Amino acid sequence: MPYIPHTPAEQERMLQTIGVPDINALFAEIPQELRPKRFDLPDGQDEHQVLHRLEHLAAKNNIHLVSFLGAGFYDHAIPSAVDYLTSRGEFATAYTPYQPEASQGSLQAIFEYQTAISRLLEMDFANASVYDGGTALYEAMMMAVRQTKRRKVVVDECVNPIYRRMLDCYTSNLHLDMVVVPHARGTSNMAALQAAVDGRTAALIVQNPNFFGVLEDFASLFDHGRAQGALNIISTYPLMQAILKTPGAMGADIATAEGQSLGLPLCFGGPYLGVMTCTKALIRQMPGRIVGRTTDNQGRDGFVLTLQAREQHIRRQKATSNICSNQALCAMRAIAFLCLMGPQGLADAALRCAEMAHAAARRMVKLPGVSLLNQRPFANEFAVTLPKPAYQVIHRLTQRGFLPGFPLGRYYPGLENVLLIACTEKHRREEIGILVEMLGGAL
Amino acid sequence: MKTIFANSVPGRPGVGPGKPTKDLTGLIPMELARAEPPGLPEVGELDVVRHLSRLSRLNFGVDSHFYPLGSCTMKYNPKFMEQVAALPGFCRLHPLIPQLRGAGHFAQGALEVIYETERLLGEITGMAGFTLHPMAGSHGELTGAMIIAAYHKDKGRTRTKVIVPDSAHGTNPASAAIAGFDVISLESKDGIIDPQALENALDEDVAAVMMTCPNTLGLFERNLPRIVELVRSVDALLYYDGANLNAIMGKMRVGDAGFDVVHLNLHKTFGTPHGGGGPGSGPVGVCTRLVDFLPVSRVVKLEDGQFFLDYDYPKSIGYVAPFYGNFGVYLKAYAYILRLGRNGLIRVSENAVLAANYLRKRLEDALDIPCNRICMHEFVASAVRQAAQGVRALDIAKALLDQGHHAPTVYFPLIIKEALMIEPTETENLTTLDQFVDDLIEILERGASNPASIQAAPLNTPVSRLDETKAARNLELTDL
């Protein structure tokens, strides 16, 4: 049997040591009435047979479309060294670093990740990760509910609609007062948000760039939130953060992100990386693992999991979160990626994405019947209104090998004709030209 | 070791893309732009490769060390699974593609993986329906708890309490509490659930009982039929924490046994690497009457053999994940199940239990074993005798590191004093198991004559014991 190393003689020796006649005797405590009625699984296969099966399934997925689909999840270039380094068995086959003396590699890498993420978002502290951008936003909201002891949460409709659905799911049993403030043609309705945030509000939740790709400055809205005693929470796009005004500069209390853009493949939705950062004042409300630097009994620097009194294995039902395993190896990918890119490489990548998107938008609005959803600044993603339903255009273009974007009508009734188009540094100028040409032909 | 930030040299180029043709000002208004570049390290590719390679050598992993960390099932992770997960047809696939009307045919292979994996897990556990969305074990627990809440709500009643035995998996109380329940702890008797105590605790306010079976003492809950009966009598639901499923594959199907909700930890039973703390994958299975409450989306197979994403479940708890869970993780588990097949999975459980009992027997004179009878895949020893001489469970753990073994889980479960929870798994050979026993006995003997030598451990690791109090008091969470 693969991966089970015992010879029959060794098994016999083990049974003798235990003092039972056979392996079945070890399971004698399971009552007969509980024995399986069936266990109808296929026979085992050789490695090459399994690989063949999986290669066959992988080939049924089309990854050769020239794609402008983003909507929060982006096809950025990943330096090969990221895969190479994070596939090292010493990282990949370790457990959560409960024994710090045997885990300094993981712990220091996570400490460096926390440092890089905090600096990227200009926030005080980061944790070691949660599952994804959506659970990060949910955890941030619960930090605010605990900290303020209030139950009202104001959410901008420009926040990723998938994340808003996740918030709904997690809060369905918690008796929170969730208020969603409608968007205004793909932009945040600042006046309405300000009116909604009052002295009962625990958290204000916004996103930048928003789901429509629009860049916002929430600094004055956050001033208002702070004055009302609410916590300001912002969901961000970390790669693009290399060139955009930071959550810290806007005055956010908690900044979260989907970290997928930092060296993680799209991989059909996961594993991704939930990025969480906060101000110093809130660190004891932070969920999940946090690594801190300390010294050993010989005075040498070393790293440990710290502030564990917040966590489920110590605090049981009073913990800040139930999270145990997080996305450690994904955080490892992010720190490798950020180090490989450096500040300049990251800014260059962000700018290249933005210049591709701006080139596409400039040419697209010249097509008859096509206009931008709004005239607001954007970085690498923008929404255009078409003269016909977006899904029809998508359907037409995919037959010709192009996936032009995301149909906003899927989440925003009334925007059926609006297409959300994302560019990355991997796109070529020729592809932009063909996209615009094909789009013109499909209208 | 110095951090990568300490190696930074201003202007040293990384491996970013080619230069953009425009600068920022032509694209983004200055008031929306970043004021200062982020303080990331400025290092070359070789610097990064060397730094992280050096860091990796400071770690213990299954690839390099025996890792008998109880409850965590640190078995060998077969390497062909990495090759599967790296197939471009999977790892380059955008998750929104099958959600675009008319584009479902571009992701048929991925949807088939989901469909097939759910069916296989359903057969292994005897559950009627599965979701792969939960992104780790405790995320599965939370999902299960939310399904339980939705079930009772749908029946038009309020159930506020969840009972968690003190021998259950450690994350259960927090998961139930986060889902909005009050947690009632249930004391075990002789290492397992006492049906009488359970009966006393059960009432019409109880939504569910969360069980781990075998429990965290490695013991099978032999009163399970009575427990099922009791839980049914108040129409509460019985939850199975699958942390220890690796002990009973082919020996018991939790659905047949009467459990209503189950979560699995794929990195435990199905051999996906744990990554130093994740990513995991925590699929949840349910019995027939709970299928309607599973998260959306769900993958459905049409008569023509095509797969599609179905969101039309009005009673569903909704979205627990942005998409379909940690696809890249359960893809590996799918490959693992195909590789081992029916008989292979049964042998996994048999040999995991064999190895645990072998270690238990060989250590029963050297350490106290509070519930010393046939165990399942793990057992809990106690160092109370040694602690009285000044050598605590923690000291023993640290001394094992010096001998080149990862330590067992210590001080858990909480009901055993000076606990050492040992889980060898089925993938370690007898030579390794014997070496571990010899080294552990040598440590205990040395501790008896010279406690200070064990208290000083570890000395052969990159750092010795670290000051955790200082770490929590002088918070240094980023490099300055």
Side-chain angles (χ1 to χ4, degrees):
Chain A
M1 203 48 70
Y3 324 123
I4 297 174
H6 310 307
T7 66
E10 286 175 326
Q11 284 182 327
E12 195 49 45
R13 204 181 106 206
M14 292 161 84
L15 288 167
Q16 273 175 17
T17 304
I18 299 165
V20 292
D22 55 27
I23 282 182
N24 282 333
L26 299 173
F27 293 89
E29 286 219 335
I30 304 182
Q32 274 312 314
E33 61 196 291
L34 296 185
R35 294 306 174 115
K37 299 192 178 93
R38 48 181 279 179
F39 198 62
D40 195 7
L41 295 163
D43 290 336
Q45 298 175 51
D46 289 341
E47 252 190 33
H48 71 90
Q49 291 169 315
V50 178
L51 279 171
H52 181 77
R53 163 81 180 143
L54 272 299
E55 280 164 5
H56 168 74
L57 287 173
K60 286 185 171 181
N61 301 320
N62 187 337
I63 52 162
H64 303 294
L65 295 167
V66 177
S67 175
F68 295 85
L69 179 60
F73 310 90
Y74 303 93
D75 183 25
H76 291 291
I78 302 173
S80 302
V82 172
D83 275 318
Y84 174 82
L85 290 166
T86 55
S87 63
R88 290 184 70 97
E90 297 89 337
F91 291 134
T93 70
Y95 203 75
T96 302
Y98 292 135
Q99 293 291 340
E101 300 89 344
S103 316
Q104 285 298 299
S106 294
L107 286 163
Q108 183 171 334
I110 294 296
F111 178 83
E112 292 175 1
Y113 161 84
Q114 291 174 181
T115 304
I117 290 292
S118 307
R119 293 182 180 189
L120 185 60
L121 302 185
E122 294 187 324
M123 298 293 288
D124 294 331
F125 291 142
N127 75 359
S129 75
V130 293
Y131 309 124
D132 81 300
T135 47
L137 207 51
Y138 148 71
E139 294 280 15
M141 178 183 74
M142 295 314 293
M143 285 173 71
V145 169
R146 287 192 301 270
Q147 177 77 11
T148 63
K149 301 186 170 62
R150 299 175 181 179
R151 307 198 73 80
K152 177 179 168 184
V153 177
V154 176
V155 187
D156 187 350
E157 202 190 12
C158 297
V159 170
N160 189 326
I162 295 173
Y163 295 167
R164 286 189 283 113
R165 279 165 174 72
M166 290 173 72
L167 295 181
D168 289 344
C169 173
Y170 287 113
T171 56
S172 60
N173 215 24
L174 302 184
H175 314 291
L176 297 183
D177 178 14
M178 304 288 287
V179 177
V180 177
V181 175
H183 73 95
R185 289 190 73 76
T187 68
S188 297
N189 186 337
M190 295 292 181
L193 283 164
Q194 177 146 345
V197 175
D198 56 23
R200 295 187 303 117
T201 306
L204 162 67
I205 302 180
V206 298
Q207 177 175 322
N208 185 53
N210 74 19
F211 189 68
F212 303 86
V214 169
L215 306 180
E216 303 276 11
D217 185 352
F218 292 105
S220 42
L221 184 62
F222 285 175
D223 285 342
H224 171 74
R226 197 173 310 107
Q228 296 296 320
L231 294 189
N232 300 309
I233 300 172
I234 185 167
S235 177
T236 63
Y237 180 171
L239 184 138
M240 215 46 66
Q241 207 57 70
I243 57 172
L244 298 182
K245 183 166 181 176
T246 62
M250 290 185 199
D253 297 291
I254 307 171
T256 66
E258 173 46 67
Q260 178 269 328
S261 61
L262 303 178
L264 279 74
L266 285 164
C267 199
F268 205 52
Y272 287 168
L273 172 64
V275 171
M276 286 197 80
T277 63
C278 68
T279 57
K280 274 199 179 93
L282 292 171
I283 190 64
R284 282 181 166 76
Q285 293 293 351
M286 186 73 108
R289 314 290 183 192
I290 299 171
V291 174
R293 182 155 53 194
T294 183
T295 46
D296 74 359
N297 57 18
Q298 299 175 37
R300 295 174 294 196
D301 276 354
F303 301 89
V304 292
L305 295 176
T306 192
L307 297 177
Q308 295 193 70
R310 302 162 297 112
E311 291 193 68
Q312 48 77 26
H313 61 290
I314 308 285
R315 251 341 233 310
R316 311 282 282 179
Q317 60 264 36
K318 295 200 170 62
T320 55
S321 168
N322 73 325
I323 191 166
C324 184
S325 290
N326 51 39
Q327 305 284 111
L329 202 64
C330 302
M332 186 80 78
R333 291 186 73 94
I335 185 61
F337 178 85
L338 289 168
C339 291
L340 287 161
M341 298 290 278
Q344 192 60 50
L346 203 67
D348 287 347
L351 269 180
R352 294 250 308 201
C353 298
E355 72 179 8
M356 284 295 167
H358 283 255
R362 260 197 316 277
R363 297 175 61 172
M364 237 168 248
V365 293
K366 291 183 183 146
L367 296 170
V370 176
S371 59
L372 290 170
L373 178 64
N374 56 55
Q375 298 302 317
R376 302 294 301 280
F378 61 91
N380 72 320
E381 195 163 25
F382 60 98
V384 288
T385 307
L386 308 173
K388 64 200 300 191
Y391 83 86
Q392 287 180 11
V393 175
I394 292 169
H395 187 63
R396 180 94 176 267
L397 264 60
T398 51
Q399 290 172 336
R400 302 178 61 191
F402 270 63
L403 177 50
F406 183 78
L408 281 170
R410 172 161 167 69
Y411 291 120
Y412 295 92
L415 297 186
E416 282 73 17
N417 286 13
V418 185
L419 183 67
L420 182 66
I421 299 166
C423 293
T424 73
E425 75 283 11
K426 287 171 83 173
H427 286 118
R428 290 177 291 127
R429 287 201 177 268
E430 306 86 88
E431 291 170 339
I432 305 278
I434 300 169
L435 172 71
V436 176
E437 199 176 299
M438 279 189 185
L439 200 61
L443 298 177
Chain B
M1 224 175 95
K2 278 205 297 188
T3 68
I4 189 90
F5 297 91
N7 293 320
S8 180
V9 172
R12 185 170 283 168
V15 292
K19 286 284 161 199
T21 54
K22 285 197 163 62
D23 67 7
L24 191 62
T25 47
L27 300 169
I28 293 166
M30 285 324 286
E31 65 272 19
L32 294 172
R34 185 175 186 117
E36 297 283 333
L40 299 172
E42 295 182 81
V43 290
E45 177 166 331
L46 175 58
D47 298 321
V48 180
V49 169
R50 204 164 273 166
H51 179 73
L52 283 170
S53 298
R54 285 176 178 165
L55 281 186
S56 78
R57 289 200 292 272
L58 308 181
N59 255 18
F60 283 28
V62 176
D63 280 6
S64 54
H65 294 78
F66 179 45
Y67 220 115
L69 193 64
S71 182
C72 302
T73 314
M74 294 298 280
K75 64 168 80 177
Y76 172 66
N77 312 123
K79 300 309 168 202
F80 83 102
M81 289 150 65
E82 300 301 316
Q83 204 177 329
V84 167
L87 289 169
F90 293 127
C91 69
R92 288 179 53 194
L93 191 61
H94 197 294
L96 281 167
I97 282 188
Q99 298 185 27
L100 307 180
R101 203 193 303 189
H105 58 285
F106 293 127
Q108 283 297 302
L111 295 179
E112 191 169 342
V113 166
I114 294 173
Y115 184 85
E116 288 296 321
T117 306
E118 288 178 0
R119 292 302 159 292
L120 290 168
L121 296 177
E123 184 62 30
I124 291 167
T125 57
M127 304 307 290
F130 253 95
T131 177
L132 304 180
H133 293 199
M135 293 176 277
S138 65
H139 198 217
E141 293 169 31
L142 177 56
T143 302
M146 291 194 296
I147 289 171
I148 288 163
Y151 167 79
H152 289 298
K153 199 186 258 181
D154 184 59
K155 287 215 151 188
R157 61 197 185 198
T158 314
R159 297 262 174 138
T160 53
K161 298 192 289 199
V162 166
I163 295 177
V164 182
D166 58 10
S167 58
H169 193 207
T171 40
N172 291 177
S175 297
I178 296 288
F181 290 110
D182 297 329
V183 177
I184 311 296
S185 184
L186 186 71
E187 209 171 309
S188 329
K189 190 173 162 189
D190 195 21
I192 57 176
I193 293 175
D194 173 13
Q196 190 55 53
L198 178 62
E199 191 171 358
N200 298 343
L202 278 171
D203 59 30
E204 299 287 324
D205 290 333
V206 173
V209 177
M210 293 180 87
M211 270 180 80
T212 305
C213 180
N215 65 27
T216 52
L217 290 166
L219 300 175
F220 189 81
E221 292 285 355
R222 60 183 165 211
N223 298 315
L224 185 53
R226 175 71 184 139
I227 293 167
V228 171
E229 204 180 326
L230 286 170
V231 173
R232 291 262 163 86
S233 71
V234 294
D235 198 18
L237 297 170
L238 192 57
Y239 185 96
Y240 180 87
D241 183 311
N244 298 341
L245 181 79
N246 58 314
I248 57 162
M249 284 188 292
K251 305 296 178 189
M252 180 184 100
R253 298 203 314 166
V254 292
D256 298 347
F259 286 94
D260 300 297
V261 189
V262 45
H263 90 262
L264 307 179
N265 303 69
L266 296 186
H267 63 270
K268 297 184 179 180
T269 302
F270 300 103
T272 68
H274 192 254
S281 174
V284 167
V286 293
C287 63
T288 312
R289 63 190 160 137
L290 297 180
V291 165
D292 288 346
F293 302 97
L294 285 171
V296 285
S297 59
R298 293 175 55 196
V299 176
V300 175
K301 189 175 186 177
L302 301 174
E303 276 178 12
D304 64 359
Q306 294 286 300
F307 299 90
F308 94 106
L309 289 175
D310 194 351
Y311 288 85
D312 190 17
Y313 296 91
K315 290 184 178 180
S316 165
I317 60 167
Y319 284 57
V320 299
F323 297 107
Y324 327 107
N326 281 341
F327 181 84
V329 178
Y330 58 74
L331 182 60
K332 294 179 190 177
Y334 174 57
Y336 178 88
I337 294 168
L338 293 182
R339 173 91 173 96
L340 271 80
R342 179 184 187 279
N343 292 334
L345 294 179
I346 294 172
R347 300 293 168 265
V348 162
S349 290
E350 289 179 346
N351 286 281
V353 171
L354 179 67
N357 277 290
Y358 177 74
L359 286 190
R360 175 181 62 80
K361 206 68 192 170
R362 285 214 55 203
L363 289 168
E364 68 182 356
D365 295 330
L367 285 164
D368 286 358
I369 298 175
C371 300
N372 193 13
R373 54 178 191 263
I374 299 286
C375 65
M376 293 277 106
H377 62 298
E378 66 191 357
F379 66 100
V380 180
S382 166
V384 277
R385 224 189 315 154
Q386 288 77 10
Q389 311 297 317
V391 175
R392 301 195 57 205
L394 186 72
D395 303 319
I396 297 167
K398 302 301 184 194
L400 279 165
L401 301 180
D402 267 346
Q403 299 300 318
H405 306 290
H406 195 278
T409 299
V410 287
Y411 302 107
F412 188 84
L414 306 172
I415 46 180
I416 302 290
K417 291 201 174 74
E418 298 296 326
L420 290 153
M421 187 188 201
I422 301 174
E423 179 176 16
T425 84
E426 73 282 4
T427 60
E428 297 292 340
N429 66 36
L430 195 50
T431 318
T432 305
L433 299 180
D434 284 335
Q435 186 67 52
F436 174 73
V437 170
D438 294 347
D439 290 343
L440 180 49
I441 289 173
E442 190 273 327
I443 287 165
L444 297 174
E445 285 170 355
R446 190 151 43 92
S449 57
N450 181 6
S453 71
I454 308 299
Q455 290 157 355
L459 297 170
N460 302 334
T461 45
V463 290
S464 53
R465 283 193 212 191
L466 291 147
D467 188 342
E468 298 194 8
T469 311
K470 177 181 169 188
R473 196 165 293 157
N474 309 335
L475 277 187
E476 202 183 330
L477 310 182
T478 59
D479 208 13
L480 297 173

